[in-house]
Amino acid sequence: MNAKKQEPGTVHRAVLPAVMLSLATVVSAVASLNTAVPSIARDTHAGLTELAWIIDAYALVFAALLLLGGAIGDRYGRRRALAAGLVVFGAGSAAAALASDPNWLIAMRGVLGVGAALVMPATLSTITSTFPAEQRTRAVGAWAGVAGGSAIFGLLVSGTLLEAWSWRSVFWMNVVLAVLALIVTLAVVPESADPDAPRLDVTGAVITVAGLGVGVYSIIEAPTEGWASARTLLGLAAALVILAGFVLWELKRPNPLLDPRLFRHRAFSAGTLTITLQFFAFFGFVFIILQYMQLVQDESALVGALSLVPMALTMMPFARGAAPRLAAKIGPRRVITAGLLLAAVGMLIFSLLDEDSTYWLLLAGLIPFGAGMGLAMTPSTASITDALPADKQGVGSAMNDLARELGGALGIAVLGSLLQSAYRSNLNVENLPGPAAEQAESSLAIAMRMGPQVADQARTAFGDGVQSAFLTASIALAVTAVIVAALYRAPRRAAANSGAGPAGAAAVPQVGGRPPTP
């Protein structure tokens, strides 16, 4: 129950901006460090595999603990969870800023993920439970715009900081944002909790962490171990077995962390799949393109970040304006499908980039990619939340958050590994001594310091990796568009039996016992 009653206008004016600030703080951290990847590689001698872990540790832990973080907030107080998460996030950022070893950076990024998993679950459920149904789509559009725009904000601010300071300043920026968000949260966000919340499903959370961790580890290490090696194949098989065990465990629980039966609702499944693949492509793209801009094109961190601004300028109006209007007029199926296909076209254009490409080719891809992201993001988010009745909006917010962060973690892991595999296989190191060859294969930043001949070969090999990764992302988005279009064409009877809407509200399963307090 809320600690005190507030008029709706007061809630909109005070609580919503506070929630958005907290959301921006944790989302911007997913992308902001990407601008510093070349600097981190040069300063700590981290290889491509370690760089992928430095970026992905945050997204992976964030995704794996999101559902548990939401359940903790419901049981012990959402304001408390939000404040605790911001404290953990800020403390982890301060510790990371003092690091000099790649492994310590990886560990601290994981700590940041723990804090973010406590912060984010309250954001969307607060919006969907605060706004009336007729205003909810536009409010969700604002949320989607902030979530997408925060990543670009993080890139721009971190790129600016790197013009004057080292990569450590990016972590100090996180500390400042966390402190500001904490002050605003304590000042205006009322406490709320569910007195009937079930016991925490810690076992389910541990299984999730284990399954996702083993899978992502196997993917990131595959370029070094070999995609067909026994270690990689056994690791991927083990991840699938563990996650299958998670499904079986959740099916048996009366109050599961994530009930697999939710995915019987096709609109819910379509929205979740769309969000996952969008952010698979988005964060994988950001991870790769900023390395390409700085190391291959020899641009500064700020110029690299500014180069992506057209994508944000296109994405925001499509997410907040065009997408809700078009979805209301022609239905979410056509809008989401068109958005995914536009994003796929953007990725296809990106796959043409090489070491000699001009900015105009990148810009030609940024426009359709940003428009496609904006078009698909809002109606797919609304599909997740609207598929469930009002008292199950916590389910929708948790699943939406999980899809975004899991997609981002997988995108960085998969596309980063494809990049590294192509880079290693196309780099000619026959004329280098063993240790030097190994270092050149592990990191483009190191190869760039081994003389003009090796540097030119490394740029070309990295360009080959960029093409391979982005072509894969384009195909994945196009296939997703076909699947989503098919899901939305499901017979009306199937949708009716899924339990959506007031008539079927009782049939809708619940995530972690998370109905929000209206």
Side-chain angles (χ1 to χ4, degrees), residues 162-182:
L162 288 168
E163 290 293 299
W165 295 289
S166 74
W167 55 267
R168 302 175 194 278
S169 62
V170 178
F171 287 106
W172 291 121
M173 176 188 73
N174 290 343
V175 174
V176 172
L177 288 174
V179 170
L180 290 175
L182 179 62

Side-chain angles (χ1 to χ4, degrees), residues 22-167:
S22 297
L23 173 67
T25 298
V26 298
V27 172
S28 64
V30 180
S32 62
L33 199 62
N34 282 278
T35 57
V37 163
S39 299
I40 293 173
R42 288 189 288 262
D43 194 14
T44 66
H45 302 288
L48 286 173
T49 298
E50 290 172 313
L51 292 173
W53 272 117
I54 289 170
I55 300 299
D56 218 18
Y58 176 73
L60 176 61
V61 175
F62 193 172
L65 296 180
L66 263 172
L67 298 179
L68 181 63
I72 289 173
D74 287 342
R75 186 173 180 85
Y76 299 108
R78 299 178 184 96
R79 182 170 178 264
R80 291 191 186 96
L82 187 59
L86 290 169
V87 169
V88 172
F89 183 89
S93 296
L98 303 175
S100 59
D101 177 71
N103 293 324
W104 179 253
L105 268 179
I106 293 169
M108 289 304 99
R109 286 279 287 178
V111 171
L112 265 67
V114 174
L118 288 170
V119 170
M120 191 172 185
T123 57
L124 186 58
S125 59
T126 298
I127 293 172
T128 53
S129 61
T130 299
F131 283 83
E134 63 273 11
Q135 299 179 18
R136 190 175 300 149
T137 299
R138 289 186 63 84
V140 168
W143 185 94
V146 169
S150 295
I152 303 300
F153 167 79
L155 293 175
L156 290 174
V157 174
S158 59
T160 302
L161 292 173
L162 288 168
E163 290 293 299
W165 295 289
S166 74
W167 55 267

